[in-house]
Amino acid sequence: MTSTVEPEIGQARRRKEDEHLVTGRTRWTDNLVLPGMLHMAILRSPFAHARITSIDTSEARQRPGVVAVLTGADASPEQGSLPCAWVITPDMKIPPAPSLAVDTVNFAGEAVAVVVARSAYEAHDALEAIDVDYDDLPVVLDLADAARDGADLVHPDLGTNVSATWTFDSAEAGTGGDVEQAIRDAEVVVERTFRQQRLIPAFMEPRSVVVDPTGPQITVWSATQVPHILKIMLAMTLGIPEHKLRVIAPDVGGGFGGKLQVTPEELLALLVARRLGKPVKYTETRSESMVAAHHGRDQIQKLTLAARRDGTVVGLKVELLADMGAYLRLVTPGVPILGAFMFNGIYKFGAYHFSCTNVFTNKVPTDAYRGAGRPEATFGIERIMDELAAELSMDPLELRAKNWIRHEEFPFDTVAGLTYDSGNYEAATAKARDLFHYDELRREQEERRRRNDPVQLGIGVSTFTEMCGLAPSRVLGSLNYGAGGWEHAAIRMLPTGRVEVVTGSSSHGQGHETAWSQIVADRLGVPFEDVEVLHGDTQSSPRGLDTYGSRSLAVGGVAVVKAAEKVIAKARPIAAHMMECSEDDLEFAEGRFRVRGTEKAVGMSDIALAVFTAADLPEGIEPNLDSEATYDPDNFSFPHGTHLCAAEVDTETGQVRIRSYVCVDDVGHVVNPLIVEGQVHGGLAQGIAQALYEEAVHDESGTLLSGSFAEYLLPSAADLPTFTTDRTETPAVGNPLGVKGVGEAGTIASTPAVVNAVLDAVRHLGVRDIEMPCTPMRVWHAVESARNSAQGGAR
């Protein structure tokens, strides 16, 4: 039967959710106003490490509008410890992590007291009346120093600043050879140390929480990425029966991993609301968000790459130091080890060793930030591949092509123990190279070098893959992760033929409502406009594992497909009964069951109405088409791509200007090209920001110096180039949609592309490395140092 309806999947549909977002009809958590609602404000420590000797709250309690003041001593009997769901080794050290400090503060910004008042202004004003005395303790800030024996300790009771050391060795795992032997036998060995600076997830909407304890259930509204996980963790931490909790994530203004958390503020708001028996709201200021919400990245990476003189790589050794900050939050210790499976990238290494040492410091805890471990790994491998190319005087693209997995070799078992299911690095690179005009830019680069132009041109390369669609559960279980990787969906067929889709994946900007509508419209043959998507409420959507790790489409979207298949299966015997034929004679397409070889057909809307009336159904068939499915994939998905950056570097001022940026990504089948394009653009902005702009900086006492957008630099549209984006399409073989992931791709690939471009522009001057972000001052200083060294050598 020839199709007469254009498929929804593949159409660049405008997002359904955008209308109410851009017209101001949003339901942010901070918009909520409940009868009798109180407001909570938090007093935060100005010290990074100190003992609390006394807290006097008497004056604050007398301030106008103040209802209650709570200290750590008041809360300690019931506040518990903030959860860490990823114990990466049996001997991992986990210090207690109170929501409200009791006797010691361990980072500047840690909560030490709470004021509850009738208005937010009165609560904030009363904070000034709380008098806290502190005794200074030694401040531990430098990551390398903290890991050494004899260092001052963040948590003296632990006897060390090292939380855990996790290793993977290809020889022990049976996935490759001995890396030390590969290094000894290598013709070329390149060793480099890179720094992943600390970043702040600067989401648009600051975190906010409202708790209403007055109904039959305690209802928690939170600007969270993880309503289902939050519900479970709140119940476990505070000893509340899970069925007595309802968590709602309303409109959420971005997350980037920064809202993949169980926060002190959420627990405190719940604790206070239960004590007072009234609704309580807390909304952080932007300053609080930057000083107290978790940060990302912060690693020292030592890489040793072994190769033959012809450029063939033979071994890779990775040694990481990862900054945990002062405490372990929800998945803090597991974030850096996610990179263990990606440092090999798209390349065929014969031997591989990875070790990661997690270290406590007196800084804000780290946790997931867009890409979570995989951008760090891609940066490391793509930087050192460029270093090898320079060592061998090879073109960086030629070196990569010599070592990457070829398309005919898929599925491919990697040295890190994963199986890449599909890919075509050759096709993506060829397309990117043509769009970028690679050869022409190389010729221009040579001409600028020849004439000693003060503005030099650099060309940066990043060819990447990532593991995303965070699952399967059995793999996460082998890493001792505290949750599964499945996702749940339900489809409700309404009597009028309209459809409600309930998804456990929780959107905060990804476009679920649009993409899920397109999937269901195609599968069930109903109009796109007739599909409603419900999410983010643990009462209407009781099962789910939420949104992070580019898992929504590859896991949650496939759960929707599975549920739709069950709807069709339940409708089939009813359709056969209505048309008085055998089920075997039916074919289903475009929302209609048709008797083969005839024009006799019945549509899903007719079947839905027949089920509702239930007057004439086959014997033994229940009057219900609604279906649910839980999907747990067998493998990750592996998007990939090639990103090329041309950067002009002014050697006299250090200024970097991105002249052109081309990326060709392969994310499998594309459901909505418009959404994919938006995700790539947003990801590129964040990755470029790490390369050139963003850094969380502390002074010697542990105070965050980049605590506002005046000091923590985010690029605007004017600071970024016009991106040239394109795609190749190699479907994933592990799911029926053939989809991979796109939410993190731009961030993962772009940072090394930009840094490689900056270094390529000035490498011929003797510059070997520039620490991120590559600010004008750092670039200028690197160029001047190289020139001075060259002049000193000449003398």
Side-chain angles (χ1 to χ4, degrees):
M1 183 169 60
T2 303
S3 174
T4 59
V5 179
E6 184 180 0
E8 276 292 338
I9 291 179
Q11 286 195 47
R13 284 277 194 180
R14 290 190 176 184
R15 301 197 316 173
K16 283 184 172 183
E17 45 271 80
D18 283 351
E19 182 180 356
H20 86 276
L21 291 173
V22 301
T23 57
R25 296 196 297 273
T26 49
R27 291 193 320 117
W28 310 118
T29 304
D30 192 44
N31 293 154
L32 296 172
V33 178
L34 303 179
M37 187 172 70
L38 302 173
H39 295 262
M40 187 176 86
I42 296 175
L43 182 68
R44 300 185 180 278
S45 169
F47 298 100
H49 200 197
R51 187 171 292 108
I52 301 171
T53 58
S54 68
I55 302 181
D56 184 353
T57 63
S58 56
E59 184 182 343
R61 296 176 191 274
Q62 303 306 313
R63 287 293 182 96
V66 171
V67 175
V69 180
L70 194 70
T71 67
D74 299 325
S76 59
E78 54 186 315
Q79 70 170 324
S81 182
L82 286 157
C84 175
W86 203 338
V87 181
I88 62 170
T89 65
D91 61 350
M92 187 176 86
K93 291 177 172 55
I94 310 175
S99 297
L100 208 54
V102 179
D103 51 23
T104 305
V105 291
N106 288 301
F107 66 91
E110 186 168 1
V112 296
V114 164
V115 172
V116 185
R118 302 194 186 281
S119 73
Y121 301 106
E122 289 170 320
H124 280 279
D125 286 346
L127 293 179
E128 299 175 0
I130 300 175
D131 186 18
V132 186
D133 284 333
Y134 299 94
D135 278 348
D136 287 350
L137 294 170
V139 178
V140 180
L141 297 175
D142 185 270
L143 178 56
D145 287 345
R148 295 189 178 104
D149 292 338
D152 291 325
L153 299 179
V154 178
H155 302 284
D157 290 349
L158 300 181
T160 178
N161 289 321
V162 173
S163 173
T165 297
W166 189 93
T167 62
F168 176 91
D169 188 88
S170 61
E172 294 176 3
T175 58
D178 176 41
V179 76
E180 298 296 344
Q181 186 65 47
I183 292 170
R184 286 193 295 270
D185 294 344
E187 296 170 345
V188 179
V189 176
V190 178
E191 183 178 288
R192 296 288 187 272
T193 298
F194 305 125
R195 178 66 195 244
Q196 283 277 325
Q197 79 270 39
R198 179 173 280 244
L199 301 179
I200 300 175
F203 30 71
M204 285 191 297
E205 176 207 19
R207 299 172 305 160
S208 182
V209 58
V210 174
V211 179
D212 183 1
T214 62
Q217 289 178 302
I218 299 172
T219 303
V220 179
W221 290 265
S222 181
T224 181
Q225 295 176 223
V226 288
H228 296 90
I229 291 172
L230 178 58
K231 176 185 175 182
I232 295 168
M233 292 302 180
L234 288 175
M236 294 173 66
T237 303
L238 296 181
I240 301 171
E242 188 183 346
H243 66 285
K244 291 295 185 181
L245 273 175
R246 176 186 184 185
V247 175
I248 301 171
D251 291 323
V252 177
F256 311 129
K259 293 175 182 172
L260 198 182
Q261 196 54 262
V262 179
T263 70
E265 295 81 5
E266 287 162 333
L267 270 82
L268 288 172
L270 178 49
L271 189 154
V272 168
R274 288 176 71 200
R275 279 196 171 200
L276 300 179
K278 292 186 177 182
V280 170
K281 177 191 285 188
Y282 168 79
T283 300
E284 69 185 2
T285 65
R286 179 60 66 181
S287 297
E288 285 183 291
S289 177
M290 300 186 84
V291 78
H294 78 245
H295 294 174
R297 312 287 193 253
D298 209 346
Q299 295 180 0
I300 298 173
Q301 307 173 318
K302 180 182 177 184
L303 275 68
T304 306
L305 180 64
R308 293 199 285 266
R309 182 61 59 182
D310 67 358
T312 303
V313 297
V314 295
L316 178 66
K317 183 178 181 181
V318 178
E319 299 164 276
L320 296 189
L321 286 178
D323 194 338
M324 303 289 95
Y327 300 105
L328 302 180
R329 294 296 193 232
L330 191 63
V331 294
T332 302
V335 167
I337 70 167
L338 283 173
F341 305 99
M342 287 286 101
F343 268 96
N344 53 292
I346 66 173
Y347 309 114
K348 295 181 285 188
F349 284 98
Y352 174 58
H353 179 89
F354 172 94
S355 68
C356 177
T357 300
N358 289 345
V359 181
F360 293 115
T361 62
N362 289 119
K363 300 179 196 171
V364 181
T366 56
D367 209 295
Y369 175 66
R370 197 169 187 171
R374 290 152 296 158
E376 297 92 312
T378 299
F379 181 85
I381 186 59
E382 288 305 290
R383 280 286 296 109
I384 203 162
M385 287 297 283
D386 255 37
E387 294 297 303
L388 177 62
E391 179 76 17
L392 298 175
S393 299
M394 286 182 70
D395 180 89
L397 277 179
E398 179 187 343
L399 175 70
R400 286 163 169 82
K402 187 175 188 65
N403 289 287
W404 66 38
I405 305 157
R406 304 198 64 80
H407 71 276
E408 65 269 15
E409 295 178 292
F410 289 95
F412 186 87
D413 294 331
T414 76
V415 73
L418 297 182
T419 300
Y420 294 174
D421 63 336
S422 67
N424 192 328
Y425 310 139
E426 305 98 299
T429 302
K431 181 177 279 193
R433 184 175 183 136
D434 287 346
L435 290 170
F436 189 66
H437 304 297
Y438 186 86
D439 294 333
E440 295 172 32
L441 286 169
R442 284 293 183 199
R443 286 192 290 271
E444 180 184 342
Q445 180 186 54
E446 285 303 313
E447 173 59 24
R448 288 198 188 200
R449 290 182 178 179
R450 185 189 62 77
R451 66 173 186 258
N452 198 26
D453 195 318
V455 178
Q456 289 290 307
L457 178 66
I459 297 169
V461 176
S462 176
T463 50
F464 84 104
T465 188
E466 62 156 322
M467 57 185 238
C468 62
L470 198 59
S473 298
R474 57 182 174 78
V475 174
L476 297 177
S478 71
L479 296 173
N480 210 33
Y481 181 65
W486 51 267
E487 195 48 81
H488 187 76
I491 292 180
R492 304 170 183 162
M493 292 296 303
L494 305 181
T496 57
R498 274 66 173 178
V499 180
E500 287 180 342
V501 178
V502 182
T503 176
S505 183
S506 179
S507 176
H508 48 280
Q510 290 84 354
H512 289 41
E513 294 173 36
T514 304
W516 276 217
S517 295
Q518 290 179 270
I519 292 169
V520 170
D522 267 5
R523 283 301 193 270
L524 298 183
V526 297
F528 170 81
E529 295 77 12
D530 287 353
V531 183
E532 187 78 14
V533 178
L534 308 176
H535 62 86
D537 184 338
T538 62
Q539 185 152 294
S540 62
S541 173
R543 299 195 66 205
L545 283 173
D546 307 315
T547 297
Y548 41 86
S550 297
R551 70 187 305 273
S552 288
L553 182 59
V555 188
V558 175
V560 172
V561 170
K562 298 290 187 182
E565 291 171 351
K566 290 184 178 181
V567 170
I568 296 167
K570 291 175 79 170
R572 183 175 291 275
I574 300 170
H577 180 78
M578 292 172 70
M579 293 186 287
E580 299 180 331
C581 68
S582 167
E583 290 182 45
D584 295 338
D585 294 333
L586 293 180
E587 57 184 7
F588 180 79
E590 298 176 1
R592 299 179 69 79
F593 285 97
R594 188 180 305 275
V595 179
R596 287 189 181 87
T598 74
E599 294 301 311
K600 198 172 184 179
V602 61
M604 287 298 295
S605 59
D606 300 318
I607 299 170
L609 185 59
V611 168
F612 173 72
T613 60
D616 184 23
L617 296 179
E619 193 68 32
I621 295 292
E622 64 175 339
N624 177 17
L625 293 178
D626 297 352
S627 298
E628 300 184 17
T630 302
Y631 174 67
D632 196 344
D634 294 327
N635 196 2
F636 301 99
S637 67
F638 298 96
H640 67 84
T642 297
H643 289 224
L644 301 173
C645 175
E648 293 182 331
V649 177
D650 190 325
T651 61
E652 296 177 346
T653 67
Q655 185 67 40
V656 176
R657 184 180 77 89
I658 298 178
R659 178 168 136 183
S660 63
Y661 195 101
V662 169
C663 62
V664 175
D665 288 295
D666 193 321
V667 297
H669 280 154
V670 172
V671 173
N672 187 313
L674 195 61
I675 291 177
V676 167
E677 193 83 349
Q679 289 285 332
V680 170
H681 277 219
L684 293 176
Q686 281 186 279
I688 292 169
Q690 179 176 6
L692 299 180
Y693 298 97
E694 294 187 44
E695 183 177 23
V697 179
H698 297 79
D699 67 13
E700 66 278 0
S701 67
T703 300
L704 182 67
L705 297 178
S706 51
S708 76
F709 287 152
E711 301 88 14
Y712 189 85
L713 301 184
L714 295 175
S716 70
D719 298 309
L720 298 170
T722 298
F723 305 122
T724 300
T725 62
D726 208 335
R727 292 186 299 276
T728 55
E729 190 170 301
T730 311
V733 301
N735 66 70
L737 285 173
V739 296
K740 300 180 181 180
V742 70
E744 298 159 315
T747 303
I748 290 171
S750 57
T751 305
V754 173
V755 175
N756 280 339
V758 173
L759 279 166
D760 187 56
V762 295
R763 190 184 293 276
H764 67 290
L765 301 176
V767 177
R768 294 293 173 260
D769 191 27
I770 302 172
E771 191 171 294
M772 292 190 293
C774 298
T775 61
M777 179 59 76
R778 283 180 174 164
V779 174
W780 177 84
H781 187 269
V783 171
E784 287 300 300
S785 295
R787 283 173 172 165
N788 292 337
S789 295
Q791 290 169 1
R795 287 197 297 269

